[in-house]
Amino acid sequence: MQNARTILSPVNADGIREKEAARSFVHVLADTSDRLAGVCTILEDRFAVAGERLDAEAKLSQVPAAIVIRADLRDVDNIAALKRRAGKLAKAKKRIFLLEHSSHVGISQAYALGATHVLSGTINRPKLLSALCDPANPSSAAPGGMSRSDNAVEAAATAVASMFTAVTLGQPLDIDGTKEAGRQIADRITERGLSEWLSTVRRHHEGTYQHCLLVTGLAIDFGLSLGVGRADLERLYSAAMFHDIGKAQIPLAILDKPGRLDAEERGLIETHPAAGHEFLKGHDKISPEILDAVRHHHEYLDGSGYPDALCAESIGDVVRILTISDIFAALIEHRHYKPTMPRAEAYDVLCGMSGKLEKALVTSFKEVALTR
């Protein structure tokens, strides 16, 4: 197995009909034989599996249900090999990247290469199988086998990843692209509702990227429920897309740390609103309202928030809406080290924050939290 370049399990083993086999066929790509064998071993008792090394000649002949890529994206040869396979990769419904060396840049690179799912850290069998077994929604199928739901999630995740990469590497920020992704989320939620957006995002993404997409969806639906106009809705989704951009300067090990942060780590996390504001303030296409929301989305009406300890009269409407959406998203997001809080319980937490959040807005948020 150490010298293997190609691993192939017969697609029609055990008398499976060809159509059924194609549906359960998973293709694995890896940059070493050990990594290839490791993934194939995990999958071969559940799926028909074919695998190949990235440095071998591409042998994918049929469209698989999913492609799993386990490779070091810091290696330019691996990136080049994946780009050569871009046409075939795009045909698979799911493209799952396993990144052992996770970073903002690595995750961004995975999305740029067409990832639909990115699983970071040590390979996790239950998470991988869960991603592969998640049923597709046939009613949302679009030409080419991609669902419109997945297209919206991919566009949004790519925008968030691109934004984080720009901060990390000091590159120009694609403001128009980020706002366009927010608009697509708004269209998606208007068409199919909030609940489907939340469940799709939680299936596909982890950590900070998941959080940004959840907050954006919640802020959009909150705005829609309040009947805001188009211009205000654009301010809301733009603020939500950009609100955590300052976290690009914080290591993923801290952002995605299981368990409680120590005082030093918490202090570092609390620098992100000011850092995001500092990064964005020189951009002409970022309005004062968006800058205000990025800097102040952790402020509370009683003055106990950060970074500026603002009080009620100093906190604008966009910030108040974004703060409620941000807190609720943090409560309901899926993390592998803790259970997902039910939406009703998360709403009860908001109701218990008397004096910190605007009571009338929390009341208005009830429908978003529980029924939409």
Side-chain angles (χ1 to χ4, degrees):
M1 187 67 72
Q2 294 297 320
N3 297 319
R5 291 295 185 96
T6 302
I7 300 174
L8 181 62
S9 296
V11 174
N12 287 317
D14 300 323
I16 302 175
R17 289 185 296 118
E18 184 176 349
K19 185 175 180 181
E20 293 174 341
R23 246 197 324 260
S24 60
F25 171 39
V26 177
H27 196 78
V28 181
L29 297 171
D31 53 357
T32 69
S33 294
D34 286 346
R35 286 176 173 164
L36 181 62
V39 177
C40 290
T41 298
I42 290 173
L43 302 180
E44 60 191 6
D45 63 337
R46 299 281 296 274
F47 304 94
V49 179
E52 65 187 52
R53 286 256 301 258
L54 283 173
D55 57 356
E57 182 181 352
K59 297 183 180 299
L60 181 59
S61 58
Q62 70 178 100
V63 178
I67 295 179
V68 178
I69 298 100
R70 187 183 185 189
D72 187 347
L73 297 186
R74 298 172 299 178
D75 187 324
V76 294
D77 290 335
N78 289 339
I79 293 174
L82 287 167
K83 287 182 176 179
R84 288 194 297 271
R85 293 169 167 84
K88 293 181 178 179
L89 288 176
K91 295 178 181 179
K93 172 70 177 175
K94 297 179 182 179
R95 300 174 294 281
I96 302 171
F97 279 67
L98 308 178
L99 302 185
E100 295 164 47
H101 302 283
S102 59
S103 67
H104 293 303
V105 175
I107 293 173
S108 300
Q109 183 66 69
Y111 285 122
L113 290 166
T116 59
H117 301 62
V118 178
L119 305 181
S120 300
T122 304
I123 188 168
N124 182 302
R125 185 179 187 275
K127 286 171 63 177
L128 175 56
L129 292 176
S130 177
L132 287 166
C133 292
D134 172 46
N137 181 1
S139 66
S140 64
M146 296 296 297
S147 74
R148 284 176 288 176
S149 170
D150 289 347
N151 283 339
V153 173
E154 288 178 45
T158 300
V160 173
S162 174
M163 181 173 63
F164 273 59
T165 297
V167 176
T168 304
L169 301 181
Q171 297 174 342
L173 185 64
D174 183 6
I175 294 172
D176 290 337
T178 303
K179 289 183 176 181
E180 171 60 19
R183 187 194 64 76
Q184 289 186 41
I185 298 174
D187 290 346
R188 183 74 184 78
I189 289 174
T190 300
E191 178 187 0
R192 294 189 179 274
L194 175 66
S195 292
E196 188 179 53
W197 175 258
L198 298 181
S199 62
T200 302
V201 169
R202 284 186 293 199
R203 287 197 304 268
H204 285 208
H205 301 287
E206 289 281 350
T208 301
Y209 293 79
Q210 176 192 146
H211 178 72
C212 287
L213 300 183
L214 292 177
V215 173
T216 302
L218 286 162
I220 287 168
D221 199 62
F222 197 3
L224 291 172
S225 75
L226 294 171
V228 303
R230 176 177 293 185
D232 286 332
L233 188 65
E234 180 178 338
R235 276 189 280 272
L236 272 178
Y237 64 63
S238 298
M241 288 291 288
F242 287 116
H243 83 286
D244 270 349
I245 192 171
K247 287 183 178 179
Q249 299 179 352
I250 299 173
L252 284 173
I254 294 176
L255 289 178
D256 297 335
K257 178 183 176 180
R260 188 178 298 275
L261 300 173
D262 62 32
E264 183 178 355
E265 292 167 337
R266 170 54 59 186
L268 185 58
I269 287 285
E270 292 183 359
T271 66
H272 81 269
H277 177 269
E278 182 67 24
F279 182 79
L280 290 172
K281 69 180 184 181
H283 292 78
D284 294 337
K285 296 180 180 180
I286 300 292
S287 69
E289 294 92 342
I290 295 173
L291 286 174
D292 181 51
V294 169
R295 184 176 181 89
H296 294 132
H297 64 276
H298 283 290
E299 301 284 5
Y300 293 138
L301 301 182
D302 62 3
S304 64
Y306 63 88
D308 298 319
L310 298 183
C311 291
E313 64 274 7
S314 302
I315 301 175
D317 291 340
V318 172
V319 176
R320 296 180 187 216
I321 292 172
L322 183 60
T323 299
I324 291 172
S325 302
D326 185 41
I327 295 169
F328 191 78
L331 293 171
I332 67 167
E333 67 189 31
H334 174 73
R335 295 293 185 111
H336 61 85
Y337 51 79
K338 71 177 181 68
T340 301
M341 182 180 289
R343 288 165 68 171
E345 290 184 24
Y347 182 69
D348 287 342
V349 172
L350 291 179
C351 293
M353 297 179 69
S354 178
K356 295 182 180 295
L357 306 174
E358 183 178 335
K359 185 176 181 181
L361 280 178
V362 172
T363 300
S364 297
F365 189 71
K366 183 175 182 179
E367 182 182 358
V368 177
L370 303 182
T371 64
R372 290 172 70 92

